[in-house]
Amino acid sequence: MVLVVLRRIGLFAATVVVASIVTFLMLSILPGNAARIALGVQATEADVAAQTKAMGLDRPAVVRYLDWFGHVLVGDFGTSTVSRRAIGPEITDALGITVILVLTSVVLALLFAVPFGILSAVRQRKPDGAILSGISQIGVAVPGFLAGMLLVTVFAVTLRWLPAGGWVDPGDDLGGFLQHLILPAIALGSVQGAVLSRYVRSSVLEVTREDFIRTARAKGLGVGRALFRHGLRNAAVPVMTVLGLQIASLLVGAVVIERVFSLPGLGSLLLDKVALRDLPAVQGIVLVLVVFVLLLNFLVDLAFTVIDPRLRSAS
Amino acid sequence: MLASLGLVGCSVGTASTGTEPDTSLTVGLLATPGNLDYTTTAGAAIPQALLYNVYEGLVKLDNDGTIMPLLAKSWTVSGDGLVYDFQLNEGVTFSDGSPFTAASVKFSLERVKDNWSANGPAYLDPIAQIEVVSDSQVRITLSKPSNSWLFNMSGPVGTMFTESGIADLATDAVGTGPYTVSSFKTGDSLVLATNADYWGEAPYMSDVTLRYFTDATAQTNALLSGDISLISGISQFQLVDQFKSNADFQVLEGASTGEVTLSMNNAGAAFSDVRVRQAVMYAIDRQAVLDTANSGYGLLIGSMVPPTDLWYDASLADLYPYDPDKAIELLDQAGVSDLSVAFKIPNLPYAVAGAQVVKDQLDKVGITANVTVLEFPAVWLDEVFANHDYDMSLIMHSEPRDATSFAVPSYYAGYDSPEVIAKFAQADAADAATHVELMREATRTMTEEAAANWLYLQPAISLADADLLGVPKNTPSLALDLSTIAR
């Protein structure tokens, strides 16, 4: 068991190092000179050369990499070449927003998917079950950014009930925070909710055909009680797997949703920094994202063993 | 100025009937500042937010482009145009409490040469000497007369700093202006609060939030939903019409200094022959480009001069009427057939839309334009601007009075005309009337020699809540002057 955990940690560390090297290499072949962007169209060649030196971009790539990654290991992401502020706090500020957005949308997706999926499984052969199934199919087909734009058009522009975008910190104004969170979270969560509800449906359908449900029903339990007592826990395992995979794609989806709603999250920060060729910041953000996804996978694995005792010995 | 004060008085009058005046304002803008330091960071975003609002110079440009007193109460110029005596406003302090005096002027302007790397430190090259005459008097002597010098002093390079306020310009802006920066988050917002110790009249709006958007639709949605009250400088003009028919909003159409330019590499093989460049002038239907790329908003100018400059010549817009046959004839004369050019454009909406029309029209005269879309600014700056690795591009030149820099042979356009260069130099040193005359001649020559095809002038369109007053209509400088806005 200890060996397994150690191996996992070792693998985790190795993945992070490889990811850091890949990130660094990819960014160093990116065309465009950060020094020239900083100085603009009036700068002379001499100015650009001096700025390149001041930014440390004239050093060999290996030196720059070791310098950067060495500092990252002790928690120092360096200083942004553009904002000239510490990158660490910039990333944590933005990450906080993205995490709140992603988690809220996961909760919304589950709140929608579980009852909806179970209902459409139980009512499988009835007309309303088919309608429910059709609704989730449409949900899968509508991309998040389109859902976002539709929500803005209806609830912000036409009805003026909610803001069209922007962000308010919960510490500053909790009401404003919730108002600004609701539309982007729905936009991001809707597709995931629809996808999940289909998995819940098929998973529940599968479980109802299992022997233990038949036994439970034979003992005199109704469909609902049999499912509730014995079925759902079993049905949850494949749903959790999908959810774990989806959180990674939610992070990507958040990049788009953050643009639609002008949220200063990690996705917006990443795109801004790429445009400005603020390479130390881009490297830091990508690395944080990689670590975040790896960590999520790790947690999902852990969650399996809690839900399904059979998997405990297997890991 | 008087009109806007009148408007302020008027709205205060309405406020006294019962409701508290709403003195907070949220403005939606597109380009976000990367930091707060325009002495070392290029781009219009930082001066747009800070110039005239947080930072001030001796002079400013009003909305019509006229040079007005700011920290200098008045000034006199010697007969030979070399000695400027500025009388400074007294009792002015920086937001950190330190006093503004003639010594601050000397300190700030002398800092430019060695410490500024962006926003045109060379604009102050004409200065030979700065003398502190008294606390409220400063004498600046130029090495040669310069008409552009005082104009440029109204821009970023003329900003007044205090020695105690420059330690961390990127994050901490200390100026003499009516506002101070109360918070700043890159890519999100910049919040301005009134400077309680401001030396001049306090602005009507006490709290101003500048919110930054990456998407023009998100920006207009925010205005429609009431999140913001003003969009200064909309970039996608197809979004404008919905506001014209809506009584809750006003649409202000003003003049900018942004010439949208179809540039040709004069020094490259494809366009070194003036006849080939002139063929491109006749081949392009500029009105069609304007209609497609800008939904018809904008002005055909035909030169690198906006109407706000005194040497603007409206007749240049008609110098090359749309005439594909003439273009083919000129190409024949130049002995050019099957011309194929590298048309490298930035990934900006107006450029992508305009390039398609240009490409189709060039096709009709037998020029094949191979369009490559480059990421802006990073890759475009590198390939086209710095390395001159292009034949043709399409980009807006937004700096005020930028025709002179366009004529520098090492500039990316590669246009080398000794006659034009000489005229620009003479114009700068001449008296006011001759200055205008020579500028008009030189810029006319640039169009005649087809140094570039200036397609149209980008309009400055602001969208605002209907009750907002004193919104700056034109953008003669980089600054978004918030001091005139009221409700």
Side-chain angles (χ1 to χ4, degrees), chain B residues 30-82:
Chain B
L30 274 184
T32 176
N35 60 55
L36 300 180
D37 180 11
Y38 57 58
T39 73
T40 57
T41 311
I46 313 174
Q48 180 183 45
L50 302 186
L51 189 63
Y52 302 166
N53 296 323
V54 174
Y55 287 121
E56 295 180 322
L58 298 180
V59 291
K60 74 186 276 185
L61 282 191
D62 71 3
N63 203 245
D64 299 320
T66 313
I67 299 173
M68 306 289 279
L70 191 57
L71 287 171
K73 203 158 33 175
S74 63
W75 62 92
T76 56
V77 189
S78 64
D80 57 7
L82 288 176

Side-chain angles (χ1 to χ4, degrees), chain B residues 2-349:
Chain B
L2 277 178
S4 72
L5 289 177
L7 294 172
V8 173
C10 184
S11 71
V12 170
T14 4
S16 64
T17 57
T19 47
E20 276 290 297
D22 180 6
T23 61
S24 67
L25 173 71
T26 307
V27 185
L29 300 172
L30 274 184
T32 176
N35 60 55
L36 300 180
D37 180 11
Y38 57 58
T39 73
T40 57
T41 311
I46 313 174
Q48 180 183 45
L50 302 186
L51 189 63
Y52 302 166
N53 296 323
V54 174
Y55 287 121
E56 295 180 322
L58 298 180
V59 291
K60 74 186 276 185
L61 282 191
D62 71 3
N63 203 245
D64 299 320
T66 313
I67 299 173
M68 306 289 279
L70 191 57
L71 287 171
K73 203 158 33 175
S74 63
W75 62 92
T76 56
V77 189
S78 64
D80 57 7
L82 288 176
V83 183
Y84 285 70
D85 278 301
F86 291 96
Q87 185 71 40
L88 307 179
N89 276 302
E90 288 174 65
V92 177
T93 54
F94 287 93
S95 59
D96 70 347
S98 59
F100 166 76
T101 64
S104 322
V105 180
K106 189 173 165 68
F107 167 74
S108 303
L109 299 183
E110 286 182 347
R111 247 193 112 244
V112 171
K113 194 174 168 47
D114 292 330
N115 297 286
W116 283 54
S117 51
N119 281 303
Y123 287 151
L124 295 193
D125 284 353
I127 297 180
Q129 199 188 10
I130 304 167
E131 289 165 80
V132 175
V133 181
S134 73
D135 268 0
S136 61
Q137 281 176 300
V138 66
R139 167 172 291 185
I140 297 177
T141 310
L142 307 186
S143 53
K144 60 180 171 67
S146 170
N147 285 303
S148 54
W149 174 75
L150 192 63
F151 177 85
N152 289 327
M153 283 284 287
S154 71
V157 278
T159 302
M160 291 300 134
F161 294 95
T162 175
E163 222 166 327
S164 55
I166 56 161
D168 199 358
L169 289 171
T171 54
D172 195 12
V174 179
T176 59
Y179 294 98
T180 56
V181 177
S182 69
S183 79
F184 170 53
K185 233 174 168 179
T186 311
D188 181 53
S189 61
L190 193 154
V191 182
L192 299 169
T194 32
N195 173 2
D197 299 321
Y198 185 54
W199 61 274
E201 196 183 333
Y204 178 90
M205 294 295 176
S206 57
D207 304 281
V208 180
T209 303
L210 307 178
R211 259 187 63 193
Y212 294 98
F213 293 83
T214 45
D215 178 68
T217 311
Q219 193 187 22
T220 47
N221 279 339
L223 183 63
L224 287 168
S225 64
D227 300 359
I228 61 175
S229 299
L230 168 64
I231 293 174
S232 178
I234 186 85
S235 66
Q236 294 195 30
F237 301 97
Q238 75 272 19
L239 297 168
V240 172
D241 283 343
Q242 57 185 323
F243 291 92
K244 284 198 161 163
S245 50
N246 190 333
D248 293 338
F249 301 100
Q250 51 180 321
V251 177
L252 294 114
E253 224 172 306
S256 77
T257 57
E259 304 95 2
V260 175
T261 305
L262 180 66
S263 41
M264 294 172 265
N265 188 353
N266 286 235
F271 291 115
S272 56
D273 189 325
V274 66
R275 289 169 297 188
V276 181
R277 299 199 300 270
Q278 284 169 336
V280 172
M281 304 302 266
Y282 285 114
I284 306 297
D285 179 358
R286 284 177 285 276
Q287 186 64 49
V289 180
L290 185 65
D291 289 343
T292 307
N294 265 32
S295 306
Y297 289 98
L299 178 72
L300 300 180
I301 44 175
S303 76
M304 206 166 181
V305 183
T308 38
D309 282 331
L310 290 171
W311 46 94
Y312 170 67
D313 182 349
S315 72
L316 291 179
D318 304 319
L319 193 64
Y320 298 97
Y322 176 50
D323 188 347
D325 295 332
K326 180 105 183 167
I328 292 168
E329 198 185 307
L330 279 163
L331 287 172
D332 276 349
Q333 281 174 23
V336 172
S337 57
D338 295 331
L339 184 60
S340 177
V341 296
F343 189 13
K344 298 189 176 177
I345 60 166
N347 61 342
L348 301 169

Side-chain angles (χ1 to χ4, degrees), chain A residues 31-33 36-42 82-85 152 156-157 160 163-166 169 259-260 262 264 272 274-275 277, chain B residues 34-35 37 40-42 117 119-120 123 171 184 187-188 211 213-214 218 221 224-225 227 249 375 378-379 382 385-386 399:
Chain A
N33 180 344
R36 187 176 299 281
I37 297 171
L39 300 185
V41 295
Q42 288 159 328
V82 178
S83 70
R84 273 174 266 153
R85 287 194 264 200
V152 168
V157 173
R160 286 192 165 210
D169 273 328
R259 286 262 133 164
V260 173
S262 311
D272 286 345
V274 169
R277 292 297 186 272
Chain B
N35 60 55
D37 180 11
T40 57
T41 311
S117 51
N119 281 303
Y123 287 151
T171 54
F184 170 53
D188 181 53
R211 259 187 63 193
F213 293 83
T214 45
N221 279 339
L224 287 168
S225 64
D227 300 359
F249 301 100
E375 183 196 346
V379 183
D382 232 24
F385 193 81
E399 306 282 325

Side-chain angles (χ1 to χ4, degrees), chain A residues 2 17 79 97 102 140 153 176 216 227 233 269 273 282 285 289 307 312:
Chain A
V2 176
V17 171
T79 307
I97 292 169
V102 167
V140 173
T153 308
L227 209 56
R233 191 180 264 245
L269 188 69
K273 296 295 189 186
V282 176
I285 295 167
L289 281 172
I307 292 173
R312 274 174 215 167

Side-chain angles (χ1 to χ4, degrees), chain B residues 79-81 145-147 310-311 425-439:
Chain B
D80 57 7
S146 170
N147 285 303
L310 290 171
W311 46 94
Q426 287 164 22
D428 200 33
D431 62 81
T434 322
H435 172 229
V436 171
E437 195 42 50
L438 287 169
M439 289 299 285

